[in-house]
Amino acid sequence: MAWRCSGRSNAELIQNLVKGGVITRPAVEQAMLAVDRQHYCRAGTTPYQDAPQPIGFNQTISAPHMHAMCLEGFAELLKPGMRVLDAGSGSGYLTACFYEMVGAGGAVRGIEYVKDLVPYSLENLHKDGYAEALRSGAIQIKHGDGSKGWEPGATFDVIHVGAAAPQVPKPLVDALAAPGVMIIPVGTDTQVLTEVAKSASGAVTVKELTGVRYVPFHMDGTEVYA
């Protein structure tokens, strides 16, 4: 499908995502309006184009319509006070959007395998006005293998994976709260955006959403979910 939601400003980009039916929930619209995409893209790129942009180290920031789709998919759980894990947090853009939806009483944790992207993402968040959220610990970002989760025993209402895993990592399924939802691109040559939902009773269901194209997710040696 050809996406035609690009804009000349952040506000116009979000307006076009609403007009195109990609954004349907006011909470998602407000979060994406609050987070200016230009602060999370490299100089010389086109931040308001509805397409992925390079952020260095062979990584990209996803297209805005993909960010909107993920936020829409999580919207029922992205409420004030909820806990979010952004695995493969990249430039920090979606980490900031999550914070806008869960608020200062929530917890947003970003983990990024490409070490040099961690200071870059922290710088971006400071530029976009999130210094206090970082100072308070409401937002935390660290270097690490996101396929293994944040830390032993940590659970999250929402888990977003920002790169394509060859299979669903079991530690991330284990890290889902009950209820909880993870959205993760799965596959190598052919990739599918996949929803992994855990019910209040702990039952897990897996649903394929749509075909996608993401950079690879690091998960060497990580146990896969059967």
Side-chain angles (χ1 to χ4, degrees):
M1 180 180 292
W3 295 92
R4 301 183 183 275
C5 297
S6 301
R8 292 164 294 182
S9 66
N10 196 62
E12 186 175 78
L13 168 65
I14 305 312
Q15 181 182 53
N16 289 338
L17 288 166
V18 173
K19 287 180 178 178
V22 184
I23 295 175
T24 63
R25 299 172 187 263
V28 174
E29 180 183 0
Q30 291 305 310
M32 292 185 72
L33 281 170
V35 182
D36 194 331
R37 186 174 161 90
Q38 74 169 341
H39 293 308
Y40 303 87
C41 293
R42 297 286 187 181
T45 62
T46 51
Y48 306 129
Q49 183 181 0
D50 192 13
Q53 302 296 320
I55 57 173
F57 312 101
N58 295 314
Q59 304 298 303
T60 61
I61 178 174
S62 297
H65 72 264
M66 291 306 307
H67 285 149
M69 287 175 62
C70 289
L71 291 169
E72 288 275 329
F74 289 133
E76 290 300 318
L77 287 171
L78 284 174
K79 306 294 185 183
M82 296 298 185
R83 291 176 53 82
V84 182
L85 177 64
D86 190 11
S89 50
S91 69
Y93 173 81
L94 208 54
T95 311
C97 291
F98 288 137
Y99 175 78
E100 287 292 330
M101 296 183 75
V102 303
V108 183
R109 304 292 180 255
I111 185 165
E112 173 55 52
Y113 184 74
V114 180
K115 192 172 185 177
D116 288 336
L117 285 178
V118 174
Y120 171 64
S121 64
L122 293 171
E123 177 185 348
N124 296 341
L125 287 160
H126 275 93
K127 283 190 298 185
D128 205 21
Y130 294 98
E132 176 57 27
L134 290 164
R135 187 202 64 77
S136 70
I139 298 176
Q140 295 178 24
I141 295 181
K142 70 178 183 180
H143 169 250
D145 184 347
S147 71
K148 295 176 173 57
W150 179 255
E151 59 187 22
T155 59
F156 298 89
D157 305 289
V158 162
I159 298 176
H160 168 261
V161 179
Q167 294 174 279
V168 176
K170 184 177 184 298
L172 294 185
V173 179
D174 294 342
L176 272 178
V181 174
M182 171 167 60
I183 293 180
I184 175 173
V186 179
T188 51
D189 294 335
T190 301
Q191 300 173 4
V192 178
L193 196 66
T194 302
E195 177 188 274
V196 180
K198 186 180 287 186
S199 71
S201 66
V204 175
T205 57
V206 179
K207 180 171 69 174
E208 295 185 345
L209 302 177
T210 187
V212 290
R213 173 56 57 186
Y214 278 73
V215 297
F217 187 53
H218 178 89
M219 57 177 289
D220 287 351
T222 301
E223 185 179 359
V224 301
Y225 179 74

